[in-house]
Amino acid sequence: MPALPHGTESGRRARCLAGKMPALPHGTESGRRARCLAGKMPALPLRTESGRLARCLAGKMPALPHGTESGRRARCLAGKMPALPHGMESGRRARCLAGKMPALPHGTESGRLARCLAGKMPALPFGTESGRRARCPAGKMPALPHGTESGSLARCLAGKMPALPHGTESGRLARCLAGKMPALPHGTEGGRLARCLAGKMPAFPHGTEGGRRARCPASKMPALPFRTENGRLARCLAGKMPALPHGTESGSLARCLAGKMPALRAVVYPKLSSGYNMLRDSRTIRRRSFLKTAAAATAAATVSGRLRAAPAPARAPLTKARLDEILAEPVLKTDFVQRPVMVGSVELLRHGRVYLLRSRSQDGVEAITVPNPARMAETYPIFLKNILPVFVKKDARQLESLLWDVYRHGSNYKLQGIALWAGVAAIEMALLELLGQTAQRPLADFFGGARQRDIAVYYASGNRGNRPEAEVEYLQRLIAESGARAVKFRLGGRMSRNADSLPGRTEALIPMARKALGDEITLYADANSSYDALEGIRIGRLMEAHGYGLYEEPCPFDWIWETKEVADALTIPVAGGEQEFSLRRWQWAIEHRGLDIVQPDLHYGGGYIRATQVARMAAAAGMSVVPHMSGGGLGYLDVVHFASFTPNIGPFMEFKGNTDLPIECPTSTLKCERGVVRCPTGPGFGVRVDPGYVNRAQPVPIA
């Protein structure tokens, strides 16, 4: 990282020691000390204690009578004050070690130890612990049964007590390291660590931190994606993960010292409407660096579609308490709606496979919305009996607080899941449309206002099980018809326990699609919960090798821990959450960085308000939002509206084809043209379903 100005203390120090920042006047203590040791600041009168010590050790201040303890010690060690009878303990010890006071009977413990180590008092039966320990490694007291822990350890390491069954932890450790107890299944952490380091337990999957760390430097677990800090550091130093941009302080330091990050750039999630782009080339995105820098910035300028570095000021670590605060913040803005909007009635209508909601206020304003057809067909009794009654006769401006009321109503929380929240999303969208039509304001105004209108999309293929060649041809047709610059296809077998839809399809399709579509097309792939963690990592690395920009749902959607394993092991952004309805699990995934990109579904997750809460938590963590589109009805239009007002929205929104519903919109064609869908700007959702179509729809009775 020769060009990266690391903002961390150890980063600066590492670069200074490596001669990478010789002219930088570091304002930190260790920075000054490092530059002094490197001979970079020989004339600077450092006023700090460690600065004086460093200059003395470097021979820069040989005549200065340092008044500090470390100064005296340094000068003594450097042979600058051989005749000075230092009155300090460390001074005496230093002179003894340097051979300056061989005959002085030091009365201090460290003095005796120093003389013993220097061979000056070999026959003295020291009564102190350190004295015994010093004589034992030197072979001075081989027969003495030391009663102290360190004494016993010293004799064992020296091979003096090979048969003694030491009852202490360090004793066991010493015997193990000396190869004296190779078959003993030590139950202690240090014992396991020692046996691992000695190569005695190469196949044992140690569940402890020290065990993992020991096995990694010994090349015993080179493919394991360690999720602990020192595990990652060990693998990096061992050259096992040279491309991983560790987001931790020690990880960054290790990679810098090893010269592993020469071209790393800070990457953040930008706003597309200002000409920004992101994930343009996933090979320039390094996950953990992204997570740190994106948390501190919201935009980065682009040059020819590639990101430039943006400054990343320091931020406090994201905590659960902070996420709790975000969840408690109000979302919906209704201050411009001066009068109550009392909900008079809501009817569920059906036209073939399409469901409609017709809502009317007590003032006579009417709103027509389109819920998710598949979920409504399955759960309409819950909607009519358990959800709808909570909102009728209420002020639509209180929509946000009513979300908690409907959760508690009639023990609805026992139905927690998509069966409940898809219905809640349906009524939420109906009341948002009613508010918009009443106030004659677009949907975005209720969420802080629109930020962009032209929304770039990726075209999602729904195929699985066709031959790789056929899928590539299909993707080429989608690009030609829509002008999309990004596409997504499906991997694996869908909830298949690692089985592919066709043998070898995934491994063939990943490189084939890249070769056929070229580097100018952004490629995403969705595994639909196909893999366990190990297989998910294997497939993800194949995607990394071919420059893919997003890896969606590698593990079963509720395996949030395994998904984190995959995300931690890969550099490609891992996305997920389309079927997540719990704000608490969202909170965990964001706090613990179990994902890189969050994908709330506007219907499955309960609507715009809850999805905005997820997006806000993600923004605090420097993560972007690429909402999932569950298909049917006007799902793609719902996503386009969400993208228009969400600050940390991703670069491309999911698109599965133009709607065939009879709707009209004076402000947008509602079609994907040149890879972009324009967001409507009329009142509410900005579209009008054909009145004749609505009139032909039939009311759905309560079962």
Side-chain angles (χ1 to χ4, degrees):
M1 293 166 71
L4 179 62
H6 305 306
T8 61
E9 169 63 11
S10 56
R12 294 191 189 97
R13 183 174 180 182
R15 287 175 56 84
C16 180
L17 290 172
K20 299 298 184 180
M21 298 167 68
L24 180 61
H26 305 307
T28 61
E29 169 64 11
S30 58
R32 294 190 189 99
R33 183 175 178 181
R35 287 176 56 85
C36 180
L37 289 171
K40 301 298 183 180
M41 298 168 66
L44 180 62
L46 306 172
R47 293 194 299 268
T48 62
E49 170 64 10
S50 57
R52 294 190 188 100
L53 175 60
R55 286 175 56 87
C56 180
L57 290 172
K60 300 299 182 180
M61 298 168 66
L64 179 62
H66 304 306
T68 62
E69 166 64 9
S70 56
R72 294 190 187 98
R73 183 175 178 182
R75 287 177 55 87
C76 179
L77 289 172
K80 300 298 182 180
M81 298 169 66
L84 179 62
H86 303 308
M88 310 291 290
E89 165 64 9
S90 57
R92 295 190 187 99
R93 183 174 178 182
R95 287 177 53 87
C96 179
L97 290 171
K100 300 298 182 179
M101 298 169 65
L104 178 62
H106 303 307
T108 61
E109 167 65 9
S110 57
R112 294 190 187 98
L113 175 61
R115 287 177 52 87
C116 178
L117 290 172
K120 300 300 181 180
M121 298 169 66
L124 179 63
F126 302 124
T128 62
E129 166 63 11
S130 56
R132 295 191 188 98
R133 184 173 180 181
R135 288 176 54 87
C136 182
K140 300 300 182 180
M141 297 169 67
L144 178 63
H146 303 307
T148 63
E149 169 64 7
S150 56
S152 303
L153 175 61
R155 286 176 52 86
C156 180
L157 289 171
K160 300 302 181 179
M161 297 169 66
L164 178 63
H166 304 306
T168 61
E169 168 64 8
S170 56
R172 295 191 189 99
L173 174 61
R175 286 176 53 86
C176 180
L177 289 170
K180 300 301 182 180
M181 297 168 68
L184 179 62
H186 304 307
T188 61
E189 168 65 7
R192 293 191 190 100
L193 175 60
R195 286 176 55 84
C196 181
L197 290 170
K200 300 298 183 180
M201 298 168 67
F204 183 49
H206 304 307
T208 61
E209 168 62 13
R212 294 191 189 99
R213 184 174 182 182
R215 285 172 60 84
C216 183
S219 301
K220 299 299 183 182
M221 297 168 70
L224 179 62
F226 302 120
R227 303 206 312 261
T228 60
E229 167 61 11
N230 57 11
R232 294 190 189 99
L233 176 60
R235 284 175 58 84
C236 180
L237 292 172
K240 299 298 183 181
M241 297 168 71
L244 178 62
H246 306 304
T248 60
E249 168 64 11
S250 56
S252 304
L253 174 61
R255 286 176 57 83
C256 179
L257 292 172
K260 299 294 185 181
M261 296 167 68
L264 180 64
R265 295 178 292 176
V267 180
V268 297
Y269 279 85
K271 297 177 292 186
L272 190 62
S273 59
S274 301
Y276 294 98
N277 200 354
M278 56 174 274
L279 289 178
R280 188 60 193 86
D281 183 346
S282 70
R283 288 164 294 183
T284 67
I285 295 177
R286 294 296 178 259
R287 177 177 191 259
R288 291 303 180 191
S289 176
F290 153 74
L291 289 173
K292 289 187 74 175
T293 58
T298 58
T302 59
V303 178
S304 301
R306 294 184 182 274
L307 296 173
R308 293 189 307 192
R315 296 174 65 98
L318 186 63
T319 63
K320 180 181 180 298
R322 175 59 188 135
L323 294 176
D324 285 338
E325 292 174 357
I326 293 172
L327 288 174
E329 294 170 357
V331 173
L332 204 61
K333 301 182 183 303
T334 61
D335 55 300
F336 49 82
V337 185
Q338 300 299 323
R339 297 177 54 191
V341 181
M342 303 303 295
V343 180
S345 64
V346 179
E347 294 177 274
L348 178 63
L349 309 175
R350 180 178 177 181
H351 190 294
R353 295 185 178 181
V354 176
Y355 287 82
L356 305 172
L357 280 179
R358 179 163 55 196
S359 308
R360 291 190 176 99
S361 71
Q362 291 181 353
D363 292 335
V365 178
E366 183 176 279
I368 303 295
T369 51
V370 185
N372 182 282
R375 300 291 82 81
M376 186 59 75
E378 296 165 344
T379 63
Y380 73 86
I382 295 175
F383 175 77
L384 294 173
K385 294 179 181 179
N386 299 65
I387 297 173
L388 189 56
V390 178
F391 296 87
V392 178
K393 310 303 181 185
K394 303 292 176 52
D395 185 354
R397 297 180 302 172
Q398 305 303 316
L399 174 58
E400 190 166 351
S401 64
L402 290 173
L403 296 182
W404 178 251
D405 293 342
V406 72
Y407 182 60
R408 296 179 62 245
H409 174 74
S411 298
N412 279 344
Y413 55 84
K414 296 179 183 293
L415 303 176
Q416 169 89 308
I418 293 176
L420 173 67
W421 290 112
V424 173
I427 190 65
E428 183 212 66
M429 293 177 188
L431 298 195
L432 287 172
E433 175 71 3
L434 194 63
L435 286 167
Q437 293 297 333
T438 300
Q440 289 294 289
R441 300 286 287 268
L443 177 68
D445 285 1
F446 294 92
F447 295 89
R451 308 172 70 90
Q452 57 180 332
R453 285 195 65 197
D454 293 329
I455 310 301
V457 301
Y458 68 85
Y459 215 126
S461 166
N463 299 326
R464 179 177 274 115
N466 57 345
R467 301 295 303 172
E469 298 82 1
E471 180 65 4
V472 168
E473 291 178 3
Y474 179 67
L475 294 174
Q476 290 172 325
R477 288 199 301 273
L478 295 181
I479 292 171
E481 293 169 1
S482 65
R485 307 308 298 163
V487 292
K488 183 178 78 175
F489 57 85
R490 295 181 174 181
L491 305 175
R494 187 172 177 267
M495 297 291 288
S496 57
R497 296 182 176 179
N498 295 335
D500 210 341
S501 58
L502 291 176
R505 177 182 183 273
T506 293
E507 288 85 346
L509 182 55
I510 290 172
M512 186 182 297
R514 172 56 71 201
K515 181 177 180 181
L517 301 179
D519 290 338
E520 294 306 311
I521 297 296
T522 296
L523 295 180
Y524 297 164
D526 186 355
N528 290 114
S529 300
S530 291
Y531 309 122
D532 61 20
L534 290 178
E535 183 67 2
I537 292 168
R538 185 182 74 84
I539 296 299
R541 286 177 176 156
L542 181 60
M543 295 171 68
E544 288 176 347
H546 292 88
Y548 279 63
L550 180 148
Y551 185 15
E552 184 174 339
E553 202 174 271
C555 301
F557 61 87
D558 56 346
W559 290 19
I560 56 178
W561 299 272
E562 289 78 359
T563 300
K564 175 175 167 54
E565 286 188 51
V566 175
D568 285 346
L570 300 177
T571 60
I572 182 174
V574 172
E578 68 179 73
Q579 298 176 89
E580 185 55 75
F581 48 80
S582 168
L583 289 178
R584 289 300 172 184
R585 280 200 295 269
W586 272 123
Q587 187 180 37
W588 185 94
I590 291 169
E591 178 189 359
H592 296 280
R593 302 197 183 279
L595 298 166
D596 297 304
I597 298 171
V598 298
Q599 292 185 294
D601 187 290
L602 293 169
H603 290 269
Y604 295 172
Y608 282 90
I609 294 173
R610 285 163 59 86
T612 298
Q613 290 177 306
V614 173
R616 288 180 175 182
M617 289 192 292
M623 301 163 72
S624 79
V625 187
V626 180
H628 175 260
M629 179 204 161
S630 52
L634 296 177
Y636 78 98
L637 182 59
D638 299 330
V639 169
V640 165
H641 274 293
F642 184 78
S644 75
F645 61 73
T646 301
N648 57 322
I649 201 68
F652 303 104
M653 297 298 100
E654 188 164 18
F655 179 76
K656 297 180 179 178
N658 299 312
T659 183
D660 55 1
L661 288 175
I663 57 177
E664 60 182 37
C665 177
T667 60
S668 172
T669 66
L670 304 180
K671 295 182 179 180
C672 179
E673 298 171 328
R674 297 185 299 279
V676 170
V677 176
R678 171 155 284 203
C679 183
T681 58
F685 285 87
V687 300
R688 180 171 179 263
V689 181
D690 177 52
Y693 184 87
V694 176
N695 291 335
R696 291 191 296 273
Q698 299 298 311
V700 177
I702 297 178

